[in-house]
Amino acid sequence: MQPTLRPLPLALAVAISPLAQAADPATVTQLEPIRISASPLALSQQELLSPATVLQGAKLDLRRSATLGELLDGEPGIYSDTFGAGASRPVIRGQTAPRVTVLSDGSQVMDASAISPDHAITVDPWLAERVEVLRGPSALLYGGNAIGGVVNVLDRKIPQAIPENGFEGSVQAQGSTADRGHAAAVELTAGQGNVAVHVEGSSRRGRDYRVPNWTDSRVKDSHARSDNMSVGLSFIGERGYLGAAYSYREDRYGLPGHSHEYEDCHPHGATLHCGGHGHHHGHDHSHGHDHAHEHEHTATAVLRSERIDLRGELRDPLPGFQRARLRAGITDYRHVEKDGDIDGTRFSNRGYDGRLELEHRPLGPFTGVVGLQTALSDFESRGGSENFIPKTRSRSHGLFVLENLHWQDWRFEFGARQEWQSITPDSARLERRTGTANSFSAGAIWDFAPQYSASVSVSRSQRLPNAQELYARGVHFATLSYERGNPNLTRETSQNVDLGLQKHAGDLRFDLRAFYTRSKDYIYGRTLDRHEDFSLIQYSQDDARFWGLEGTVSYPVRRWATLSVFGDIVRGKLLNPSRNLPRMPSARLGVRADMNWQQWSGFVDYTHTFAQSRLADFEQRSPSYGLLGAGLSYQTRMDHTTYTLYLKGNNLLDKLAYNHTSFIARQAPLMGRNIMAGIKVQF
């Protein structure tokens, strides 16, 4: 049965009825604009030419999830390529890694999540203070791997100021029903004089999660466990700060759909040979398999990551410059995939990333930033049967500049980045690849009337192929595929246009966006053949185009209640000949009511995800579904301590839902009805 909007009016009425008994005519407070840390000039959301999403405060607390992709999923233009409960990556406007970059307060996260969707992103949503998402041309200053967008996760691990009362911190805990899970986090900052220390930690446990209308009612191997800790030290002066932090993370989570049944599959030209099966002539042999093949073993990933962060800011660092900003990180990442108790393939990534930005003093009407970035990554996979990428050393260096010009009601922005990359494989059979890429962007925002603005931005961006796209050769069980790289790949070039119309004040508010991208030599994994659930993927290049719409409209129907309508759509096609790209997100349309009354706040939302029938070769149609969510929180303050209690629910109608952007959509549907209760104490 198709989901309908019929439950929505009843759910809204039930949720707001306790609040409708009284209305508090409180004075409206004008909030300070949110400054985007990922923007080199720390611009506000209203000043940015391209759309930005920010989660912080109570909104972030109610959205906290096990993975970064799950946390952001549902924001306009943002989706998730879910992989059970242990890993998921953000999908922005139809793009994910390696075209979406994840940052830890401006420094690149050096894990292996770009290699495969079953590798968790090593940032902890439970310890995040704020999450920023930039999409469109504003993200280009972070390089070709940010063509799709940038996700910047800010935390407190390195203090930037001395606590007002000498110390501050928080404790939070949450329980959930669908996975019988629990999570807790604690953080504390103490300081005196010019020195501040910060310690933090989190722990999360979840069993195999429940799915409606599913064999055995739970998704096998969807359990997840994660432990994080960090300690940081800062020296803080009148002109800035300099600090460092050490972080450790350990995860153990199941890999749904992970099967060694196809271990003997290998390609013959453009066809697959699996066991006794012969030439398949490109036909789909899925036979309607919706579930993972039965197997006795438990597939588990064990992840360990150690990281050292260095951060600093200094005012008036050099003549002609008013601010310097430093971000750097050193990472030692290890990932083992276990078949029962037997160790399989071992992945490791050791690397560093450094970024220095210098904001110059105004030069006539111009304000701007110049900077440089450098990164080194030593990636290796060894042992087991999934050793499909050779040991490689990747280096990249970038120079960038961003300039702003204000003129009457207009603001103009110009940006450029030059990038150098080299990839050296540890194999005499494979050639070292070097290349350069450059990106340019220009745009304008016009405040054409009070409370209104319109923006346009254009960009030309380039991306160089990575080691996986160049050199992969072998079975990849996470995506149930045999991957075959292409050493002849060249850089891809994209032409982008982004249009926006905003009303950012008053009762009625809206943010409407449209974008169009034309890519030359777009790099993608082309499915050549399929046997049952297993595919032969060849990295290829073709011209492509993407277009989409995103929008949010809100209006306060009462002083204590605001109603919003939101939606997004993205289309991606390969050209010459015309055909659909794989795993493109489905269109969505939703409605949400937010309520605030005295110390209470709450929300009810309903999102309808449309069926995805625009399919790539060998893809399976994903039916439509509707998700109902709701939340209620109560906050009170005693002395210098704030207490927040909350209750929230996801998928309250308990619908079976397949996420089309996921590699294992049919093996691991979205979680069924899940009720979460939690408490947060801030002091």
Side-chain angles (χ1 to χ4, degrees):
M1 181 180 296
Q2 295 293 327
T4 69
L5 291 175
R6 291 178 182 175
L8 181 60
L10 176 60
L12 286 172
V14 171
I16 67 175
S17 59
L19 304 180
Q21 298 174 4
D24 182 14
T27 303
V28 177
T29 303
Q30 185 67 36
L31 300 177
E32 289 293 326
I34 298 174
R35 299 290 172 180
I36 307 300
S37 179
S39 167
L41 290 174
L43 299 174
S44 69
Q45 286 180 286
Q46 296 178 17
E47 295 173 320
L48 283 174
L49 289 160
S50 298
T53 298
V54 178
L55 296 179
Q56 65 178 14
K59 184 177 181 181
L60 176 59
D61 289 336
L62 279 174
R63 292 290 298 269
R64 290 193 193 276
S65 305
T67 62
L68 186 62
E70 184 183 353
L71 172 71
L72 294 170
D73 189 24
E75 293 294 318
I78 308 175
Y79 315 81
S80 174
D81 65 344
T82 49
F83 203 98
S88 70
R89 304 177 300 188
V91 178
I92 302 176
R93 292 180 167 179
Q95 308 288 349
T96 187
R99 294 180 181 84
V100 171
T101 293
V102 178
L103 307 174
S104 176
D105 199 353
S107 181
Q108 187 173 337
V109 176
M110 290 293 215
D111 52 28
S113 59
I115 299 297
S116 176
D118 68 321
H119 291 221
I121 299 174
T122 54
V123 295
D124 185 15
W126 275 93
L127 293 172
E129 181 183 16
R130 185 167 74 185
V131 180
E132 305 170 344
V133 182
L134 295 181
R135 47 201 188 274
S138 294
L140 294 184
L141 295 186
Y142 290 92
N145 290 334
I147 285 178
V150 164
V151 179
N152 189 31
V153 182
L154 289 89
D155 51 55
R156 296 175 176 266
K157 65 176 62 173
I158 298 178
Q160 299 183 16
I162 303 295
E164 184 176 343
N165 298 316
F167 72 94
E168 62 185 15
S170 67
V171 179
Q172 54 185 320
Q174 178 181 286
S176 52
T177 60
D179 59 351
R180 295 167 288 181
H182 57 272
V186 58
E187 56 97 12
L188 176 65
T189 304
Q192 186 175 13
N194 298 104
V195 179
V197 178
H198 180 88
V199 293
E200 64 183 25
S202 70
S203 180
R204 175 177 56 85
R205 302 287 187 272
R207 302 181 188 181
D208 288 351
Y209 65 77
R210 190 186 63 81
V211 172
N213 306 317
W214 190 253
T215 305
D216 299 327
S217 75
R218 296 185 181 273
V219 174
K220 180 177 173 58
D221 294 339
S222 62
H223 57 276
R225 186 183 84 187
S226 179
D227 296 292
N228 296 263
M229 63 80 61
S230 179
V231 56
L233 175 70
S234 282
F235 296 92
I236 301 166
E238 294 181 357
R239 294 172 55 201
Y241 74 95
L242 180 65
Y246 167 80
S247 304
Y248 178 80
R249 175 175 179 139
E250 182 172 332
D251 287 37
R252 181 182 290 267
Y253 54 90
L255 301 173
H258 201 277
S259 172
H260 288 258
E261 179 178 337
Y262 307 105
E263 194 166 335
D264 64 343
C265 289
H266 57 280
H268 280 253
T271 61
L272 270 174
H273 284 240
C274 298
H277 297 274
H279 193 77
H280 301 306
H281 303 288
H283 297 299
D284 184 359
H285 298 268
S286 64
H287 305 300
H289 288 195
D290 280 352
H291 310 303
H293 294 274
E294 295 296 328
H295 49 87
E296 298 299 325
H297 63 267
T298 297
T300 306
V302 179
L303 177 159
R304 293 182 178 90
S305 176
E306 295 180 86
R307 180 180 172 94
I308 296 175
D309 283 281
L310 179 66
R311 302 173 188 167
E313 294 190 23
L314 181 64
R315 289 184 291 275
D316 302 322
L318 296 168
F321 294 92
Q322 59 187 20
R323 186 173 70 104
R325 187 170 184 256
L326 172 67
R327 295 292 185 269
I330 302 174
T331 302
D332 183 2
Y333 170 92
R334 290 151 287 168
H335 178 109
V336 181
E337 297 191 350
K338 300 172 72 70
D339 187 9
D341 295 327
I342 302 173
D343 287 356
T345 307
R346 296 174 175 267
F347 299 89
S348 66
N349 191 16
R350 295 177 174 86
Y352 71 82
D353 171 78
R355 184 180 179 92
L356 176 64
E357 299 172 357
L358 292 171
E359 182 179 348
H360 65 72
R361 297 190 181 280
L363 298 174
F366 288 96
T367 58
V369 168
V370 296
L372 57 89
Q373 183 175 6
T374 183
L376 168 68
S377 172
D378 286 321
F379 177 83
E380 181 178 9
S381 62
R382 63 185 186 276
S385 54
E386 203 172 354
N387 186 8
F388 66 101
I389 304 177
K391 181 179 180 180
T392 56
R393 166 167 283 200
S394 301
R395 293 179 180 269
S396 65
H397 310 284
L399 294 174
F400 56 89
V401 60
L402 177 69
E403 294 294 331
N404 274 267
L405 169 65
H406 285 265
W407 179 69
Q408 295 183 358
D409 296 328
W410 292 80
R411 188 179 67 81
F412 300 91
E413 182 178 286
F414 309 93
R417 179 180 169 111
Q418 178 70 34
E419 193 164 356
W420 297 265
Q421 175 182 286
S422 67
I423 303 177
T424 306
D426 187 18
S427 173
R429 299 181 297 103
L430 302 174
E431 293 185 0
R432 179 174 182 262
R433 289 290 303 270
T434 62
T436 61
N438 52 67
S439 301
F440 305 94
S441 65
I445 186 166
W446 177 31
D447 297 320
F448 61 89
Q451 305 178 350
Y452 291 86
S453 63
S455 62
V456 58
S457 57
V458 295
S459 64
R460 174 186 179 273
S461 54
Q462 293 183 322
R463 186 181 80 87
L464 297 163
N466 61 24
Q468 182 176 6
E469 295 163 334
L470 292 168
Y471 307 124
R473 184 166 294 272
V475 176
H476 189 186
F477 294 122
T479 57
L480 292 176
S481 64
Y482 187 102
E483 290 191 17
R484 195 162 60 185
N486 183 351
N488 298 317
L489 295 175
T490 61
R491 64 189 175 194
E492 65 178 58
T493 302
S494 299
Q495 313 284 346
N496 314 283
V497 179
D498 195 293
L499 303 174
L501 179 64
Q502 290 180 293
K503 186 175 185 294
H504 45 72
D507 288 340
L508 176 66
R509 301 189 184 196
F510 55 78
D511 189 349
L512 308 176
R513 303 281 177 171
F515 65 91
Y516 179 85
T517 297
R518 180 71 176 257
S519 295
K520 178 177 174 58
D521 297 325
Y522 181 82
I523 302 171
Y524 70 104
R526 181 179 181 184
T527 302
L528 301 179
D529 193 16
R530 185 178 176 101
H531 167 67
E532 295 183 348
D533 295 323
F534 195 81
S535 301
L536 171 61
I537 293 178
Q538 170 75 55
Y539 284 103
S540 308
Q541 283 188 295
D542 284 297
D543 292 348
R545 69 182 178 193
F546 300 85
W547 67 266
L549 303 171
E550 305 160 3
T552 301
V553 181
S554 65
Y555 185 80
V557 293
R558 293 288 187 272
R559 292 186 178 181
W560 45 267
T562 299
L563 188 66
S564 303
V565 178
F566 56 89
D568 50 36
I569 184 174
V570 59
R571 294 282 186 261
K573 295 183 74 71
L574 295 163
L575 309 176
N576 307 317
S578 176
R579 56 199 188 280
N580 295 309
L581 277 160
R583 293 178 302 282
M584 293 301 296
S586 305
R588 299 179 299 196
L589 183 63
V591 60
R592 177 183 174 103
D594 289 281
M595 289 76 70
N596 290 279
W597 178 70
Q598 295 183 0
Q599 296 163 290
W600 293 88
S601 63
F603 75 91
V604 177
D605 61 18
Y606 183 91
T607 303
H608 181 80
T609 299
F610 293 86
Q612 180 56 280
S613 302
R614 300 171 183 268
L615 307 177
D617 294 339
F618 305 102
E619 266 196 319
Q620 189 171 356
R621 179 182 181 273
S622 294
S624 63
Y625 58 89
L627 298 181
L628 176 67
L632 185 66
S633 67
Y634 175 80
Q635 186 176 98
T636 185
R637 184 173 179 84
M638 299 180 185
D639 295 329
H640 300 290
T641 304
T642 301
Y643 299 86
T644 304
L645 302 172
Y646 63 87
L647 181 69
K648 62 178 180 178
N650 294 333
N651 194 3
L652 292 174
L653 301 179
D654 206 25
K655 295 294 185 179
L656 177 63
Y658 297 112
N659 177 18
H660 194 78
T661 58
S662 172
F663 278 90
I664 57 169
R666 297 287 162 163
Q667 289 78 25
L670 298 181
M671 189 179 291
R673 182 188 295 115
N674 190 24
I675 308 298
M676 293 151 282
I679 181 172
K680 183 175 183 179
V681 181
Q682 296 170 280
F683 51 87

